[in-house]
Each structure stands twice: as C-alpha cells, then as structure tokens.
Amino acid sequence: MAMNTTIMIASVLSGLSILLLAGLLGVWVRNYRTFRTPLSLGLVAFGAVLLLENALAIYFFFSTSMLYSGDPFAQRAILVLRTLQLFAIGVLTYVTMQ
C-alpha cells in the first residue's frame, strides 16, 4: 500500500531532524570531552534521545502505517508536530553553530 503523502512528508521532516541532531551531537560530544560539564552531558543525552525518537518515528511510519492511516486528523497532527520539532531543532542548530 502506498504511503499517504502527509505521512511521507512527516517522515522526511523526521529524517531532516535526524541529520541536524547528528550534527548537534557531534558538537555536544566534542564540548563534553573538552569541558566535562553537566550541561554538555545533558545536551548529549537530550540529542541522543531525540534522535532515537525520530528514528523510531520513521520506523513506525514505514512499518506500521496502520497507526496513522485511518485518521486524517491524526496524520495532520503528526505533520504539524514534526514541522514544529524541525523548526525548534533548526533554531537550536543555528544557535549552537554560532
């Protein structure tokens, strides 16, 4: 069965979030190795959990589309949430790279 366009867009947004988070994790791990502060370790943990969450979301989008396929409202809600998350991660990436 072909994947719904809304869910496909949401999975692309999750993929973009993963790419940004991978970059952020690289910076945060390097900072933790340099400074050994609890804040940088917290950022590493935060980034790792969020990256895992996005990877699982993509897995579920492709493997169990039945979770979202029956309800267009749920699909739109997922798309809005993925868009907001990508925006937030984009802002965090911008600020971190400055």
Side-chain angles (χ1 to χ4, degrees):
M1 180 173 156
M3 184 180 277
N4 184 304
T5 303
T6 306
I7 295 300
M8 181 60 82
I9 294 169
S11 64
V12 168
L13 294 177
S14 288
L16 292 172
S17 292
I18 287 172
L19 292 175
L20 291 177
L21 287 163
L24 285 171
L25 275 169
V27 170
W28 293 337
V29 166
R30 187 181 66 229
N31 286 347
Y32 179 70
R33 287 182 177 159
T34 302
F35 303 112
R36 299 280 183 198
T37 63
L39 176 61
S40 52
L41 183 59
L43 289 170
V44 169
F46 169 78
V49 169
L50 204 53
L51 191 141
L52 178 62
E53 185 271 335
N54 277 280
L56 285 172
I58 290 174
Y59 171 76
F60 283 115
F61 289 154
F62 284 102
S63 68
T64 58
S65 60
M66 66 183 174
L67 290 175
Y68 305 110
S69 63
D71 188 2
F73 178 77
Q75 292 174 356
R76 287 190 300 275
I78 292 296
L79 181 59
V80 168
L81 291 172
R82 292 290 161 200
T83 303
L84 290 171
Q85 182 184 67
L86 180 61
F87 178 75
I89 293 169
V91 170
L92 188 58
T93 301
Y94 176 77
V95 170
T96 299
M97 299 304 176
Q98 292 302 312

